Amino acid sequence: MAVYTDVAADELAEFLGQYDLGELLSYKGIAEGVENSNFLLHTSKGSFILTLYEKRVARNDLPFFLALMTHLAENGISCPQPVKGRDGEALRELAGRPAAIITFLEGIWPRKPNAVHCAGVGQALAKMHLAGRNFAMSRPNALSVSGWRPLFDQAASRADTVQPGLRVFLETELDYLESGVWPKNLPEGVIHADLFNDNVFFLGDRLSGLIDFTFACNDILAYDVAICLNAWCFEPDHSFNVTKARAFLNAYGRERKLSEAEEAALPLLARGSALRFLLTRLVDWLNVPPGALVRPKDPLEYFRKLRFHQSVASVRDYGLTPSGLVA
């Protein structure tokens, strides 16, 4: 979450007049994240989140995101719900941007995730994958393999200003992943695609819900698992924590067992996930809008993670015994 577009108090009060949410008491921008403008609203009827969808998010995709949150909640997944106005619509416009209000989810995201947190995320991710099986809408993943070359092209000319040799490193990895090695014929469905620790809330050690579905799409389910390995199972010094990975993967597997093919593909999927976030972070790092209330995330964190996955031989290196070898 972040703030790129400011909203005046009188403008917001007029906007809220389209809802039955009571009187606006206060509001403030939320600085975390990189994608949309978000505000915490306090009204006489409670707390809510207002999101203004910025230019990277296509307006035509918004009904998918909003309907998905409703569907997941109806199928037992704790996540925010879109708030409909008096006209029955959840999506409208504010400050020249598409906008929606969603319910407030209690909890805090873990700054220093431990193995218990990782197990909770593994269980919740698997349950989300299962809950999404009968979701009627679909959305392709614009940030899968075919979307990585355009990102590289945006950043290539200045990549070496972030780290010498980064341009060649990225191009070499991209050439490899585009060469036909990307996994095919693995189970697909609705994935979150951005389940970082700031998108998962806990009350103590109990997971209280998942937020921010603006990257959700249809793709390989195990790719979502790989994204979480990158997001949850590395330490601040970028070393891989196999204890966290084992907790995450075992908890996922108790809800939805990975096939042998999914396990075999996991190192490659993790490489692709690391490259995807390295590229998007690099583009954001090089293109922060002037005056934006946003803290761009370090792209080199994912350079180091990608180098680790390049050395992985099998799912054993993630702390998981391959299914075919289990007695």
Side-chain angles (χ1 to χ4, degrees), residues 43-299:
T43 79
S44 55
K45 290 193 175 181
S47 298
F48 304 89
I49 301 294
L50 166 68
T51 298
L52 275 61
Y53 297 97
E54 299 292 345
K55 294 181 179 179
R56 187 187 283 177
V57 180
R59 187 184 185 103
N60 290 342
D61 287 334
L62 297 179
F64 175 89
F65 303 140
L66 298 174
L68 177 61
M69 287 190 285
T70 299
H71 173 86
L72 292 176
E74 290 173 348
N75 286 271
I77 305 301
S78 177
C79 62
Q81 294 298 285
V83 178
K84 294 181 179 180
R86 294 191 181 96
D87 59 0
E89 297 295 325
L91 181 62
R92 54 195 74 241
E93 188 169 297
L94 177 62
R97 298 283 189 267
I101 293 175
I102 61 173
T103 55
F104 180 80
L105 189 67
E106 294 288 349
I108 58 174
W109 60 270
R111 267 62 175 179
K112 296 180 179 179
N114 57 38
V116 174
H117 294 129
C118 293
V121 171
Q123 180 185 47
L125 182 68
K127 287 185 174 180
M128 193 206 85
H129 288 165
L130 295 173
R133 288 181 299 185
N134 59 345
F135 182 54
M137 301 175 71
S138 65
R139 174 180 179 265
N141 186 0
L143 291 173
S144 190
V145 182
S146 62
W148 297 340
R149 180 69 63 174
L151 289 168
F152 170 77
D153 291 341
Q154 289 182 55
S157 65
R158 292 187 287 162
D160 286 355
T161 66
V162 177
Q163 176 168 291
L166 184 57
R167 175 174 181 162
V168 170
F169 174 83
L170 290 171
E171 190 161 28
T172 300
E173 182 70 5
L174 187 55
D175 287 344
Y176 172 67
L177 293 175
E178 288 179 335
S179 69
V181 300
W182 193 246
K184 300 179 178 66
N185 302 318
L186 295 180
E188 296 189 2
V190 175
I191 69 170
H192 186 284
D194 193 40
L195 204 59
F196 282 69
N197 57 329
D198 56 355
N199 286 332
V200 183
F201 284 0
F202 285 82
L203 293 170
D205 286 335
R206 181 179 64 82
L207 190 146
S208 60
L210 312 178
I211 69 167
D212 197 353
F213 288 83
T214 51
F215 284 102
C217 57
N218 292 76
D219 206 337
I220 296 170
L221 297 177
Y223 180 61
D224 223 10
V225 174
I227 290 171
C228 287
L229 280 175
N230 277 313
W232 289 85
C233 301
F234 284 83
E235 294 302 302
D237 65 358
H238 311 301
S239 62
F240 186 72
N241 187 315
V242 71
T243 302
K244 291 181 179 180
R246 184 181 297 112
F248 166 73
L249 291 170
N250 285 338
Y252 183 94
R254 285 191 289 270
E255 301 293 333
R256 178 188 171 270
K257 184 173 174 57
L258 292 171
S259 68
E260 290 185 35
E262 287 176 299
E263 291 176 352
L266 201 54
L268 191 58
L269 294 169
R271 284 176 67 165
S273 161
L275 180 64
R276 172 262 194 258
F277 286 100
L278 173 50
L279 288 169
T280 50
R281 286 189 176 192
L282 182 61
V283 170
D284 289 338
W285 186 269
L286 296 171
N287 297 281
V288 178
L293 178 58
V294 60
R295 293 187 289 271
K297 296 179 180 179
D298 181 10

Side-chain angles (χ1 to χ4, degrees), residues 16-31:
L16 285 176
Q18 302 171 82
Y19 296 84
D20 289 315
L21 296 179
E23 178 187 357
L24 177 65
L25 303 178
S26 66
Y27 72 104
K28 63 178 181 179
I30 301 172

